C-alpha cells in the first residue's frame, strides 16, 4: 500500500477501506486541474501542522461536494520538505488522528494540488508569480511560526531579491499590484497573538523600504494599506501536531502501508509521508476578506469578528490552556515526569491544574461566546492531556518559561487588581510562580540534578537564586525580592501586587528538602 497507488487506474480502494483508511471522495484530477487554472488559496509553510489541520479541513470541504478548489503549498525556508515529503508522494499524505480513547483514524489527504519552492532561484518562482497575477486568488496563508515573520535591515536592503519569508511574499504581492492592484487577503494561521498584525508589519517594512529606495512606486505601499484591497485578519489556532511517532510508524507497517519512513532534512525538519496529530482542534478567524474566501467553515473553521478572535486568544493564553501547560511543565520537571500524558494521571497535578483553571483564573475570563471556557478546559484536561499517543513533554513546554509567565499568569493577577477581586483567592497561581524559583535550581524532588529547558534569561535568573540551598534551614531568602519584582518576567512587581510575601513563604516550603515539592503541592492543591 503506497500513497501514489491512489492515483493509479487499477487502485484497489476496497483494500484500503477494509483496513480503516478514509479515502478522498472527490475527483482528484478534476480538482487539481481547476485549482491550477483558477487558484484561490496559496499556503506558505509545508510542515506537519499544515497537512494535519488546514489541508485536512479543506479535504473535508472537498469531500462535501460543495467546493472544487484545492490548496497550493509553498515552502519559504526548508526546500527539502518539498523534495522529500511532497514530490515523491505526488502531494498526497496520510493524516493519523490519535484519539484519547485509544482509537485511530486514518485519512488520505489529497487537497494539496501543487507544492512549490518559494524562492527566485527555482523555476517554481515563475509559477508563483503566475498564481499571484491570477484574479481568482483569494487568500494566502501562513504556518511558518512566529520566527518566520522576522526581518532585518540586511534583508530589507536586498531589494526585490530578499531571503526572508515576508520579503518573498512582498515581492509576489508586487506582481499582483502590477497586474491591476487586485484584491487579496493575507491570513496568518500561526500560533501567536494578533498574528495578522505581525504579518502586516513585515510586509509593510519591505514595501516601505523598497519605495524609499525607489524600487517600487509609493502606490504599491498605498495598495497594501488599502483595506478594501488587502487585509490581514487575526486568527487563533490550536492543535498539537508532534513529530512522526514510532507507535504510528509501527501501526501503519502492520497495515501494509509502505510510505512510513521518517524524513529529516538538512535543516533538521522532522516529517514523514504521514502526520500524526491529536483529535481536538480549533481555528477561529476574523472574517475580513476582500476577494471572497474558500468555504473553510464547512470544515469546522469559525469565522467571526476581530474582537471575538481576541477574546478566544486571551481565553486560551491567559486561562484555559497555556497557563495550565506551564504549571505542569514546571512541576513535571521537578517531579521527574517526561510525558505530559503520564503527568496528568498524577492526582496532585490534576487537582493543581483544574483549580488554576476552574477556580482561580475563571473569574477574570471574558466568555468569547463561540467557545465555552469551561468546556475548553474540560476538553484540554480530560481529552487532550491524557492522550497516550501525544508524546509531549514537560521539558519541551518549559522552554522559554521566563518569556511566558507575564502573559500566562501576570495578566490574570492584573485583572484581579483592576477589578478589585480578593487576591486571597489566589493560591495556586502563586504556587506556580514559587515553583519557578525552585525549578531554576535544576534539582528535582529527589535531589537529582536536571537541566532546565533553554531560556534566554536562564543563566541570569539562576544567578539570582544561586544563594539558596535545598534543605538548608534558616537561610536568607532576601534574594527572592530581586526575582519576584521583575516586571519583565512576571508582568508586574509581585510585591507591589501584594503577593510577594505569600510566594516567598511557598518558596521556603519548596526548598525544605527532598520530597518538599510533592508535600507542598499536595498541601495546596489537594488538601486545601
Amino acid at each position: 500500500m503506497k500513497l501514489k497507488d491512489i492515483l493509479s487506474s487499477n487502485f484497489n480502494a476496497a483494500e484500503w477501506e477494509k483496513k480503516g483508511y478514509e479515502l478522498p471522495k472527490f475527483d482528484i484530477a478534476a480538482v487539481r486541474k481547476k485549482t491550477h487554472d483558477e487558484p484561490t488559496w496559496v499556503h506558505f509553510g509545508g510542515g506537519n501542522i499544515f497537512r494535519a489541520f488546514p489541508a485536512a479541513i479543506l479535504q473535508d470541504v472537498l469531500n462535501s461536494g460543495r467546493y472544487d478548489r484545492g490548496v497550493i503549498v509553498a515552502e519559504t525556508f526548508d526546500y527539502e520538505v518539498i523534495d522529500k515529503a511532497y514530490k515523491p508522494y505526488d502531494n498526497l499524505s496520510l493524516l493519523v488522528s490519535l484519539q484519547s480513547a485509544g482509537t485511530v483514524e486514518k485519512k488520505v489527504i489529497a487537497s494539496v494540488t501543487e507544492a512549490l519552492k518559494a524562492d527566485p532561484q527555482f523555476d517554481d518562482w515563475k509559477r508563483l508569480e503566475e498564481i499571484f497575477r491570477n484574479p481568482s486568488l483569494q487568500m494566502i496563508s501562513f504556518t511558518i511560526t512566529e520566527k518566520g515573520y522576522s526581518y532585518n535591515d540586511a534583508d530589507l536592503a536586498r531589494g526585490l531579491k530578499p531571503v526572508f519569508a515576508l520579503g518573498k511574499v512582498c515581492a509576489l504581492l508586487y506582481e499582483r499590484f502590477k497586474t491591476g492592484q487586485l484584491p487579496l487577503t493575507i491570513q496568518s494561521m500561526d500560533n501567536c497573538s494578533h498574528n495578522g498584525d505581525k504579518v502586516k508589519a513585515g510586509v509593510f517594512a519591505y514595501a516601505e523600504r523598497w519605495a524609499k529606495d525607489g524600487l517600487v512606486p509609493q502606490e504599491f505601499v498605498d495598495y497594501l494599506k488599502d483595506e478594501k484591497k488587502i487585509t490581514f485578519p487575526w486568527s487563533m489556532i490550536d492543535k498539537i501536531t508532534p513529530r512522526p511517532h514510532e507507535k504510528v510508524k509501527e501501526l501503519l507497517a502492520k497495515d501494509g502501508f509502505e510510505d512510513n519512513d521518517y524524513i529529516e532534512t538538512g535543516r533538521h525538519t522532522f516529517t514523514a509521508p504521514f502526520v500524526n496529530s491529536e483529535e481536538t482542534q480549533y481555528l477561529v478567524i476574523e472574517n475580513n476578506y476582500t476577494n471572497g474566501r474558500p468555504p473553510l467553515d464547512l470544515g469546522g473553521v469559525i469565522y467571526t469578528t476581530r474582537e471575538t478572535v481576541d477574546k478566544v486568544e486571551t481565553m486560551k493564553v491567559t486561562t484555559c490552556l497555556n497557563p495550565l501547560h506551564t504549571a505542569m511543565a514546571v512541576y513535571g520537571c521537578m517531579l521527574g515526569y517526561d510525558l505530559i500524558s503520564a503527568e496528568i494521571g498524577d492526582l496532585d497535578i490534576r487537582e493543581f491544574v483544574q483549580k488554576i483553571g476552574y477556580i482561580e483564573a475563571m473569574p477574570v475570563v471574558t466568555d468569547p461566546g463561540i467557545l465555552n471556557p469551561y468546556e475548553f478546559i474540560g476538553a484540554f484536561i480530560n481529552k487532550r492531556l491524557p492522550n497516550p499517543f501525544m508524546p509531549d513533554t514537560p521539558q519541551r513546554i518549559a522552554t522559554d518559561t521566563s518569556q511566558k509567565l507575564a502573559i500566562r499568569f501576570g495578566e490574570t493577577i492584573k485583572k484581579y487588581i483592576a477589578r478589585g477581586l480578593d487576591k486571597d483567592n489566589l493560591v495556586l497561581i502563586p504556587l506556580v510562580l514559587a515553583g519557578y524559583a525552585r525549578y531554576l535550581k535544576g534539582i528535582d524532588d529527589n535531589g537529582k540534578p536536571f537541566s532546565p529547558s533553554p531560556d534566554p534569561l536562564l543563566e541570569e535568573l539562576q544567578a539570582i537564586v544561586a544563594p539558596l540551598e535545598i534543605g538548608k534551614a534558616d537561610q536568607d531568602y532576601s534574594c527572592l525580592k530581586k526575582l519576584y519584582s521583575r516586571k519583565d518576567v512576571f508582568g508586574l512587581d509581585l510585591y507591589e501586587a501584594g503577593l510577594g510575601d505569600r510566594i516567598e513563604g511557598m518558596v521556603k516550603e519548596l526548598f525544605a528538602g527532598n520530597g518538599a515539592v510533592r508535600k507542598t503541592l499536595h498541601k495546596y492543591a489537594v488538601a486545601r
Side-chain angles (χ1 to χ4, degrees), residues 38-347:
E38 299 176 30
T40 55
W41 179 14
V42 174
H43 183 87
F44 290 89
N48 294 333
I49 184 64
F50 163 68
R51 292 189 292 162
F53 200 179
I57 288 173
L58 183 59
Q59 175 91 0
D60 290 341
V61 176
L62 291 168
N63 282 340
S64 74
R66 298 167 67 182
Y67 194 58
D68 59 1
R69 243 70 62 90
V71 58
I72 298 164
V73 67
E75 179 59 40
T76 61
F77 174 70
D78 193 341
Y79 307 120
E80 283 186 78
V81 168
I82 301 297
D83 290 332
K84 295 182 177 181
Y86 283 89
K87 297 293 186 184
Y89 310 101
D90 210 351
N91 301 327
L92 301 172
S93 63
L94 181 70
L95 171 59
V96 183
S97 181
L98 309 166
Q99 314 290 305
S100 57
T103 56
V104 176
E105 292 183 357
K106 297 166 287 189
K107 180 187 296 186
V108 175
I109 304 299
S111 58
V112 179
T113 61
E114 295 178 71
L116 306 171
K117 300 174 185 177
D119 194 288
Q121 66 177 303
F122 301 110
D123 290 340
D124 289 350
W125 187 256
K126 294 179 181 178
R127 171 61 181 152
L128 279 167
E129 290 180 326
E130 176 185 280
I131 293 168
F132 270 72
R133 289 192 291 264
N134 197 317
S136 66
L137 186 63
Q138 298 175 329
M139 174 177 78
I140 62 172
S141 58
F142 304 86
T143 51
I144 57 176
T145 77
E146 188 170 0
K147 293 179 181 178
Y149 300 141
S150 62
Y151 55 92
N152 58 30
D153 288 340
D155 206 52
L156 294 173
R158 289 189 178 97
L160 296 175
K161 295 183 178 180
V163 173
F164 291 179
L166 294 188
K168 296 173 185 178
V169 168
C170 192
L172 291 168
L173 289 170
Y174 186 46
E175 292 297 316
R176 194 161 183 81
F177 164 79
K178 291 188 294 183
T179 305
Q181 301 192 30
L182 299 173
L184 188 68
T185 290
I186 302 169
Q187 178 67 68
S188 174
M189 295 181 180
D190 271 302
N191 185 21
C192 51
S193 182
H194 302 174
N195 48 21
D197 287 350
K198 290 178 169 57
V199 180
K200 180 196 292 186
V203 169
F204 284 4
Y206 282 96
E208 288 170 350
R209 175 61 182 268
W210 296 347
K212 179 181 177 181
D213 292 346
L215 301 174
V216 300
Q218 178 60 36
E219 287 78 10
F220 175 52
V221 178
D222 298 338
Y223 159 73
L224 294 176
K225 293 184 177 182
D226 183 349
E227 295 186 0
K228 293 181 180 179
K229 295 177 181 176
I230 303 293
T231 53
F232 300 84
W234 294 0
S235 71
M236 189 288 290
I237 188 170
D238 182 22
K239 186 178 181 72
I240 298 174
T241 308
R243 67 174 58 179
H245 195 270
E246 182 65 28
K247 289 182 180 179
V248 178
K249 178 182 171 72
E250 293 172 357
L251 180 151
L252 297 177
K254 288 179 181 178
D255 285 344
F257 183 80
E258 299 178 47
D259 293 332
N260 58 10
D261 290 331
Y262 296 139
I263 297 168
E264 181 181 358
T265 69
R267 290 191 165 184
H268 304 295
T269 299
F270 293 90
T271 186
F274 65 90
V275 183
N276 44 238
S277 71
E278 66 169 340
E279 61 191 294
T280 306
Q281 59 187 34
Y282 305 93
L283 182 53
V284 182
I285 297 177
E286 175 190 353
N287 194 13
N288 186 14
Y289 290 75
T290 58
N291 196 34
R293 57 170 171 78
L296 299 185
D297 46 329
L298 297 178
V301 170
I302 299 173
Y303 287 100
T304 184
T305 64
R306 171 170 289 202
E307 180 184 15
T308 302
V309 172
D310 193 38
K311 288 178 181 178
V312 173
E313 177 74 24
T314 301
M315 177 192 78
K316 170 195 167 188
V317 171
T318 67
T319 307
C320 298
L321 192 152
N322 295 27
L324 312 188
H325 249 160
T326 292
M328 290 185 70
V330 170
Y331 278 84
C333 290
M334 293 190 291
L335 293 174
Y337 285 104
D338 57 10
L339 278 177
I340 287 293
S341 58
E343 186 184 353
I344 194 60
D346 184 314
L347 177 60

Side-chain angles (χ1 to χ4, degrees), residues 412-426:
T412 293
I413 296 170
K414 288 178 183 177
K415 288 175 182 177
Y416 262 75
I417 296 170
R419 299 180 188 182
L421 299 176
D422 187 354
K423 294 193 296 296
D424 286 342
N425 291 329
L426 293 176

Side-chain angles (χ1 to χ4, degrees), residues 367-517:
D367 188 340
I370 58 172
L371 293 175
N372 183 288
Y374 289 92
E375 293 176 0
F376 193 96
I377 291 179
F380 182 60
I381 293 176
N382 299 314
K383 184 180 290 187
R384 304 177 71 180
L385 292 175
N387 192 331
F389 288 106
M390 289 290 102
D392 213 353
T393 69
Q395 291 75 23
R396 183 196 71 81
I397 297 168
T399 301
D400 298 337
T401 295
S402 72
Q403 310 298 296
K404 302 171 180 176
L405 295 172
I407 296 296
R408 299 186 179 190
F409 299 102
E411 289 303 309
T412 293
I413 296 170
K414 288 178 183 177
K415 288 175 182 177
Y416 262 75
I417 296 170
R419 299 180 188 182
L421 299 176
D422 187 354
K423 294 193 296 296
D424 286 342
N425 291 329
L426 293 176
V427 176
L428 299 181
I429 287 177
L431 185 62
V432 177
L433 305 181
Y436 187 53
R438 178 68 170 73
Y439 165 88
L440 288 169
K441 293 299 293 185
I443 299 174
D444 71 17
D445 202 28
N446 293 319
K448 297 180 180 179
F450 70 88
S451 298
S453 301
D455 188 303
L457 295 181
L458 182 60
E459 292 184 5
E460 180 181 339
L461 299 179
Q462 283 184 313
I464 294 175
V465 300
L468 301 180
E469 297 181 35
I470 296 170
K472 182 180 179 181
D474 300 324
Q475 60 183 317
D476 182 4
Y477 284 90
S478 61
C479 63
L480 292 177
K481 285 188 168 55
K482 186 176 180 182
L483 176 65
Y484 291 114
S485 61
R486 293 277 299 253
K487 294 182 180 180
D488 61 325
V489 176
F490 301 101
L492 71 173
D493 183 324
L494 291 164
Y495 292 94
E496 293 177 356
L499 294 173
D501 291 338
R502 180 179 306 169
I503 294 171
E504 273 195 33
M506 291 174 169
V507 173
K508 293 175 183 178
E509 293 181 68
L510 292 165
F511 271 79
N514 292 351
V517 174

